[in-house]
C-alpha cells in the first residue's frame, strides 16, 4: 500500500497489475484476490489497470503480460527532449581498463559519446567515453532510456548516489524547494509545520524542515503549499516530483514548482496566489512571476 501511495505521489500515469505465483492456488482464490485488488486500487491512479495472472515456472500468462506491456507502451507519450539531459545516478563503480561508470535513467535530453558533462552537486567535470543501453554499446541515447555511462576525467570513488550527470552549466544545486504537497491517505498523525522530514527526489536524499505555508498541519489525503529547507544540496529542477518520509513512513510528496526560492511569509495571500500561478498558470504568467522574483542588479 505504501508503494501504491508513492506511485500516486509521483503521478505515474499507468501500470499493469500482475498476480504472480498464480499456479500455487485454486482459480476461485485468484478471483477473490482480483476482487480485493479492485477495491484496493479504486482510489489510486491504477484504478482500472489491466490485471494479469502469471506463473513464471510454467509460463502461463506470460504472453498475455507481454501483450499488456506492449499495449501500455503504445499509449505512453514519447519522453520529452528539452535539450538538457540529466541522469540521476543510482550506482557508480569502476571497471578495470575503462574507469568510472555510472548508471541511471536518462531524462530531458539525449547524450552522445564525446560530450563534456558535469556532475552535481559537486561540479565534477568529465567526458563521456562510452554509452550502453541494456549491455549494448551505442553512440547516442534518447531520453527515457536506461543508461550506463563510462566517464573519463573522474574516479568512481568521487561519485555518489544522488548526484546527477548533466551538461555543464545546466544544473544548479538546490537547498530550498516549493512543493504542492499532498499527504498520503496512510498518514496516521497530522503532519505539522516545522516538522523534520526526509526529502527524496529521483535518487537524491536530504534531511529537511517542512514549512507549511497556508495551514498549521496537514491531515491524511489533504493538499497544501509547503516549502522544504534542505540540509544538503540536491540537483533537482522545477517539474520534478518528490516524496517526503518520516523515519518509518512515507507521509507525502508532490510536484516541485520552484527551486531556491526566497523564504516565504506564511499565510500570505499574494505568495499563495503566485504559487498557484506557478502550478496552473500560463507560460507567460509563470515567466512574469519568475522575472519579478529575480534580484535587482
Amino acid at each position: 500500500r505504501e508503494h501504491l501511495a508513492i506511485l500516486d505521489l509521483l503521478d505515474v500515469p499507468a501500470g499493469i497489475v500482475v498476480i504472480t505465483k498464480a499456479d500455487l492456488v485454486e482459480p476461485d482464490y485468484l478471483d477473490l484476490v482480483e476482487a480485493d485488488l479492485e477495491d484496493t486500487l479504486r482510489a489510486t491512479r491504477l484504478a482500472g489497470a489491466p490485471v494479469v495472472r502469471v506463473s513464471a515456472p510454467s509460463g502461463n500468462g506470460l504472453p498475455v503480460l507481454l501483450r499488456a506491456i506492449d499495449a501500455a507502451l503504445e499509449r505512453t507519450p514519447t519522453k520529452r527532449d528539452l535539450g538538457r539531459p540529466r541522469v540521476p545516478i543510482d550506482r557508480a563503480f569502476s571497471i578495470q581498463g575503462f574507469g568510472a561508470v555510472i548508471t541511471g535513467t536518462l531524462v530531458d535530453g539525449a547524450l552522445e559519446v564525446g560530450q563534456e558533462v558535469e556532475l552535481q552537486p559537486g561540479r565534477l567535470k568529465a567526458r563521456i567515453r562510452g554509452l550502453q543501453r541494456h549491455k549494448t554499446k551505442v553512440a547516442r541515447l534518447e531520453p527515457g532510456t536506461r543508461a550506463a555511462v563510462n566517464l573519463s576525467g573522474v574516479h568512481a570513488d568521487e561519485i555518489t548516489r544522488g548526484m546527477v550527470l548533466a551538461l555543464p552549466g545546466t544544473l544548479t544545486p538546490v537547498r530550498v524547494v516549493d512543493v504542492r504537497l499532498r499527504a498520503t491517505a496512510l498518514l496516521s498523525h497530522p503532519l505539522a509545520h516545522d516538522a523534520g522530514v526526509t526529502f527524496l527526489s529521483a535518487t537524491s536524499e536530504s534531511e529537511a524542515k517542512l514549512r507549511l505555508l497556508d495551514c498549521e498541519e496537514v491531515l491524511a489525503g489533504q493538499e497544501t503549499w509547503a516549502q522544504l529547507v534542505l540540509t544538503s544540496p540536491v540537483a533537482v529542477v522545477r517539474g520534478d516530483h518528490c516524496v517526503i518520509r518520516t523515519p518509518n513512513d512515507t507521509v507525502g510528496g508532490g510536484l516541485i514548482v520552484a527551486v531556491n526560492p526566497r523564504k516565504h511569509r506564511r499565510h500570505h495571500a499574494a505568495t499563495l496566489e503566485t504559487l498557484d500561478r506557478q502550478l496552473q498558470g500560463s507560460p507567460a504568467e509563470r515567466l512574469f512571476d519568475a522575472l519579478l522574483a529575480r534580484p535587482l542588479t
Side-chain angles (χ1 to χ4, degrees):
R1 292 178 186 275
E2 186 174 23
H3 289 172
L4 274 175
I6 291 170
L7 292 177
D8 277 351
L9 294 173
L10 298 180
D11 289 333
V12 173
I16 302 165
V17 181
V18 183
I19 302 176
T20 61
K21 302 182 181 179
D23 57 317
L24 298 184
V25 295
E26 295 299 320
D28 289 346
Y29 184 78
L30 289 175
D31 293 339
L32 293 174
V33 170
E34 283 204 28
D36 184 56
L37 278 169
E38 185 177 348
D39 290 338
T40 301
L41 299 176
R42 184 171 290 118
T44 75
R45 295 181 71 88
L46 292 185
V51 179
V52 183
R53 303 175 181 185
V54 168
S55 167
S58 69
N60 289 339
L62 288 179
V64 178
L65 176 58
L66 290 174
R67 289 195 295 270
I69 292 172
D70 286 339
L73 290 174
E74 289 176 0
R75 296 190 300 268
T76 302
T78 302
K79 297 297 183 182
R80 62 182 186 175
D81 187 345
L82 304 179
R84 298 193 297 271
R86 295 184 290 149
V87 181
I89 296 170
D90 50 47
R91 281 200 308 151
F93 51 92
S94 181
I95 297 179
Q96 188 172 3
F98 291 89
V101 177
I102 64 96
T103 62
T105 300
L106 175 61
V107 296
D108 290 352
L111 286 178
E112 296 181 355
V113 172
Q115 280 181 311
E116 298 284 345
V117 292
E118 184 176 71
L119 280 66
Q120 290 279 24
R123 297 185 64 186
L124 295 179
K125 304 293 185 181
R127 180 186 294 273
I128 297 177
R129 182 178 180 181
L131 295 169
Q132 281 194 9
R133 179 182 58 225
H134 301 301
K135 299 183 180 180
T136 301
K137 289 184 179 181
V138 294
R140 177 183 171 90
L141 289 176
E142 300 298 330
T145 307
R146 186 68 187 163
V149 186
N150 181 201
L151 299 172
S152 62
V154 293
H155 296 285
D157 56 9
E158 297 178 275
I159 306 170
T160 59
R161 176 181 171 87
M163 284 182 166
V164 179
L165 181 149
L167 299 184
T170 61
L171 199 56
T172 301
V174 168
R175 283 190 177 272
V176 183
V177 294
D178 290 338
V179 176
R180 184 58 181 173
L181 179 70
R182 183 166 73 250
T184 72
L186 304 175
L187 188 65
S188 56
H189 301 286
L191 194 55
H193 172 66
D194 269 352
V197 296
T198 301
F199 168 93
L200 303 107
S201 182
T203 61
S204 62
E205 179 177 344
S206 173
E207 297 306 305
K209 177 183 285 189
L210 175 67
R211 301 187 66 245
L212 300 177
L213 299 179
D214 56 358
C215 60
E216 297 305 317
E217 63 180 22
V218 186
L219 304 178
Q222 290 184 337
E223 290 192 18
T224 188
W225 283 110
Q227 188 170 75
L228 286 152
V229 182
L230 312 179
T231 60
S232 304
V234 298
V236 297
V237 301
R238 183 189 182 278
D240 285 350
H241 287 80
C242 68
V243 171
I244 61 171
R245 287 180 54 84
T246 55
N248 299 313
D249 300 294
T250 297
V251 294
L255 186 71
I256 298 173
V257 299
V259 295
N260 283 335
R262 67 185 68 176
K263 184 177 180 179
H264 299 309
R265 289 169 54 189
R266 301 182 64 227
H267 306 290
H268 185 236
T271 296
L272 299 175
E273 290 171 4
T274 298
L275 289 170
D276 284 334
R277 285 196 300 271
Q278 289 298 308
L279 179 66
Q280 302 177 357
S282 67
E285 289 174 322
R286 296 199 300 269
L287 176 61
F288 182 72
D289 286 333
L291 291 173
L292 286 180
R294 289 173 62 92
L296 296 176
T297 57

